[in-house]
Amino acid sequence: MTGVLVTGGTGKTGRTLTELLRGSGVPVRVATRTPSVDDPDAVRFDWDDPASHAGALRGVDRVYLVPPPLTTDPLPQVGPFLAAAERAGVRRVVLLGSAIVLPNAPGALELAAQVRARPGWAVLRASGFMQNFLAPHPMGERIRRHGEIRTAAGDGRVGWIDARDIAAAAAALLTDPDLPSDDAPGAGSDHLLTGPKALSYRDAATIISAQTGRPVRVQLVGVDEAVRGLRASGMPAQLADALAAVDARLGAGKEDHVSTAVLELTGRPPRTFAEFVRDHATEWVDPGAPEGRPRHS
Ligand SMILES: NC(=O)c1ccc[n+]([C@@H]2O[C@H](COP(=O)([O-])OP(=O)(O)OC[C@H]3O[C@@H](n4cnc5c(N)ncnc54)[C@H](OP(=O)(O)O)[C@@H]3O)[C@@H](O)[C@H]2O)c1
């Protein structure tokens, strides 16, 4: 193998993936809109600037694909990129997809289908990230500022996954030496990635409170109010509508799944929510509390 282009290379999964690949001696190119001069592996890459794509693809034969964020239709940008990747000799793409399908986003499903159709390529259908409970995600920001989670999901449960375990699964697939030939029969693979246990927002809040001393309450709201809250956080309206509708699906128990894929791909069980909280315990400190101590309200 020649190297891996890590799109979203500065993001939650991409950053950890880059560390893991470097640790295995794999050459990496870290795609970002703002490459640092201090990182010789950083390469300028912008989904909105197709002219940046060919340069980023130079010298790699594998790609970790994080689709453009904040859009419900990634295909207009990702389709031409995948065609350019194939022309450049890329033999494996690992797509970060989602277990939870947004109701108004058929383009995301179509992208996953296109990736899955190619021999040796892979789709990761990741469950909700544990990192959503941390700032700067709007939910994490609300917990940090107000000690509160607002949700329309009721007591619906999600198999929350630590983004570091998604990165580990991606690293396993991207460093697999076996690549099928271009004309091999069959299709790529599809992996539902979850944490070890499905938890409701109330379960998660209880664990954060118990481990950090910061009380976190759960305020159940209707879908309309959830939409208003997400829009007010600056999220594009279409995405806010879709995410609030997802809450309603969670509430109906439609995303209550766990899988063994992380263990199978990496040889290690996925991190528990309690481990995740322990590793980030200082990040929920109440900014209004004196000397950063938890404020019990
Ligand atoms: N959060 C969840 O629960 C969840 C669950 C399943 C799947 N996902 C999927 O995970 C993916 C990552 O989402 P995230 O919110 O966690 O983001 P993230 O990966 O932490 O950060 C976004 C990344 O995208 C890059 N980026 C932003 N705009 C870009 C552009 N115009 N061109 C090129 N790169 C750009 C950023 O790089 P620079 O700023 O350095 O350019 C950054 O590395 C999304 O596709 C989401 O659907 C999320």
Side-chain angles (χ1 to χ4, degrees), residues 8 10-12 32-33 45-47 67 69 96-98 126-129 132:
T10 58
K12 290 182 221 36
T32 170
R33 288 164 297 174
F45 177 85
D46 189 339
W47 285 113
L96 175 57
S98 179
S127 188
F129 293 2
N132 295 356

Side-chain angles (χ1 to χ4, degrees), residues 130 161-162 164-166 168-169 194-197 259-273 275:
M130 294 180 184
I161 183 167
D162 191 313
R164 294 173 294 180
D165 290 321
I166 301 171
T194 74
K197 189 176 175 192
S259 78
T260 52
V262 169
L263 177 62
E264 284 151 17
L265 287 168
T266 70
R268 290 186 43 182
R271 291 166 175 87
T272 64
F273 195 81
E275 286 174 291

Side-chain angles (χ1 to χ4, degrees), residues 205-241:
T206 301
I207 294 170
I208 297 171
S209 299
Q211 290 203 196
T212 67
R214 174 86 195 268
V216 178
R217 62 188 171 274
V218 175
Q219 177 75 40
L220 298 183
V221 297
V223 172
D224 289 347
E225 195 174 340
V227 168
R228 279 196 295 279
L230 290 170
R231 288 187 183 193
S233 75
M235 194 174 277
Q238 204 185 13
L239 189 60
D241 295 355

Side-chain angles (χ1 to χ4, degrees), residues 150-183:
R150 281 179 170 243
T151 177
D155 283 322
R157 298 188 305 172
V158 177
W160 303 103
I161 183 167
D162 191 313
R164 294 173 294 180
D165 290 321
I166 301 171
L173 288 160
L174 286 162
T175 53
D176 180 350
D178 293 328
L179 281 179
S181 64
D182 287 341
D183 54 359

Side-chain angles (χ1 to χ4, degrees), residues 5 7 29 31-33 43-60 63 65-66 68 74-85 87-88 90:
L5 173 68
T7 65
R29 310 199 86 193
T32 170
R33 288 164 297 174
V43 59
R44 186 176 167 274
F45 177 85
D46 189 339
W47 285 113
D48 299 327
D49 177 12
S52 67
H53 297 182
L57 285 162
R58 203 164 296 130
V60 301
V63 172
L65 179 53
V66 177
L75 270 180
Q77 285 151 301
V78 181
F81 170 79
L82 288 180
R87 284 196 301 277
V90 166

